[in-house]
Amino acid sequence: MSLEARGLQFSYNENEPILRGLSVVIPKGQITALIGRNGCGKSTLLRLLNRLLEPGGGQVFLEGRDLGGYGAKELAQTMAHLTQSPTAPAGLSVKELVEFGRHPYRGFLGRASSKDREVVDWALQQTSLVELADRALDSLSGGQRQRAWIAMALAQDTEYLLLDEPTTHLDIAHQLEVLELLAKLNEENRKTIVMVVHDPNHASQYAQNVVCLSGGTLLREGRPADIFTEENVEELFGVTPLIFPGTTPAKPWCVPLRTL
């Protein structure tokens, strides 16, 4: 089974539609990258997939069930969502942030169980943050801070992980740090990851499935090698690219040369 959108429609305040009857299937156990020009509906689609927004038409299905049939707690135990540029109270430690991820599992009194502590420790280990657990979140570098937010999402212990531009505002080294972590989580823990990205090479090198949006509709979907051709990149981004083989033929590199 998988995460699937069927005929999604959405607009803000009855304005011009953001999504226009979009249908797409997110393969289970893979990293899917959502790409396209600004305003094409990538972030909106991500929010609809996690029920942060209600569609004006169409449906979302998770594991074959209508998303509307999930209770809030059940959904939070199945899918974690990390928004763009998340914020936290000043002085909050890394470990305290990660512990927020266990809220969907807390009982009436909200006390942490041994299972909660075990999962928090695991999330810190997976993100290489054990030594920084007691540090204030706002004292960390951009890459470390983003890893802490990902650790919080991991602490939800969900199979699906949705991230909206996880590399925003990070330098190149920290971008790769975050993307390599996501690749590790997918490979070792079989997390199904959906991420909005702007850089086509991030999609090509780290995703197995690429979803291209244009004007609120699905332009095309497929493997990086099938998506990142000169013709497709010209149509999707309006630039003339240079495409050349990456480390494997399945993951080509894309260098934008000029606008059309």
Side-chain angles (χ1 to χ4, degrees):
M1 304 300 290
S2 60
L3 180 59
E4 181 181 2
R6 299 182 190 171
L8 285 186
Q9 299 183 50
F10 186 84
S11 61
Y12 292 97
N13 300 322
E14 299 183 359
N15 293 328
E16 187 74 13
I18 302 296
L19 296 183
R20 307 165 183 267
L22 188 148
S23 297
V24 66
V25 175
I26 305 297
K28 193 170 183 177
Q30 295 187 17
I31 297 178
T32 293
L34 307 181
I35 66 171
R37 302 189 196 192
N38 289 345
C40 70
K42 303 183 296 296
S43 295
T44 299
L45 172 59
L46 202 69
R47 294 187 185 103
L48 288 165
L49 291 176
N50 195 35
R51 212 171 67 192
L52 294 179
L53 294 174
E54 292 293 333
Q59 293 173 284
V60 176
F61 293 88
L62 175 60
E63 302 292 344
R65 290 172 53 192
D66 189 317
L67 201 64
Y70 282 78
K73 190 171 184 178
E74 182 185 13
L75 185 59
Q77 293 176 357
T78 308
M79 187 185 300
H81 182 243
L82 187 58
T83 60
Q84 292 182 40
S85 306
T87 58
L92 194 73
S93 74
V94 170
K95 188 170 185 178
E96 288 170 335
L97 175 71
V98 177
E99 288 172 345
F100 278 116
R102 298 305 299 166
H103 280 197
Y105 300 90
R106 297 283 173 87
F108 176 71
L109 296 177
R111 294 173 180 170
S113 66
S114 58
K115 173 67 173 178
D116 292 329
R117 291 188 286 272
E118 178 184 326
V119 174
V120 167
D121 289 343
W122 171 81
L124 290 168
Q125 290 169 0
Q126 290 295 308
T127 51
S128 302
L129 289 171
V130 174
E131 295 183 358
L132 300 176
D134 296 323
R135 284 270 301 273
L137 185 67
D138 48 18
S139 72
L140 304 183
S141 70
Q144 291 169 335
R145 197 157 47 244
Q146 191 70 329
R147 279 194 281 131
W149 285 104
I150 292 173
M152 185 195 72
L154 284 181
Q156 279 188 234
D157 197 19
T158 62
E159 184 170 356
Y160 292 84
L161 185 58
L162 279 57
L163 306 106
D164 196 353
E165 299 185 29
T167 59
T168 297
H169 308 311
L170 299 181
D171 61 33
I172 294 173
H174 288 135
Q175 289 178 23
L176 296 180
E177 179 183 5
V178 169
L179 291 166
E180 287 166 2
L181 169 60
L182 296 177
K184 171 189 170 185
L185 294 171
N186 170 252
E187 182 177 351
E188 296 182 2
N189 303 107
R190 304 312 302 163
K191 298 288 185 183
T192 300
I193 296 173
V194 187
M195 60 180 186
V196 173
V197 296
H198 280 295
D199 189 329
N201 289 309
H202 290 172
S204 177
Q205 301 306 308
Y206 291 95
Q208 298 99 354
N209 183 56
V210 181
V211 172
C212 307
L213 302 186
S214 178
T217 62
L218 179 67
L219 184 62
R220 52 182 48 86
E221 174 187 13
R223 301 174 305 165
D226 298 326
I227 295 298
F228 293 105
T229 65
E230 290 186 9
E231 181 180 0
N232 287 345
V233 173
E234 285 183 355
E235 182 181 11
L236 183 63
F237 292 108
V239 299
T240 299
L242 174 63
I243 307 293
F244 58 95
T247 52
T248 68
K251 296 183 177 295
W253 289 99
C254 173
V255 179
L257 298 179
R258 65 186 68 86
T259 57
L260 291 175

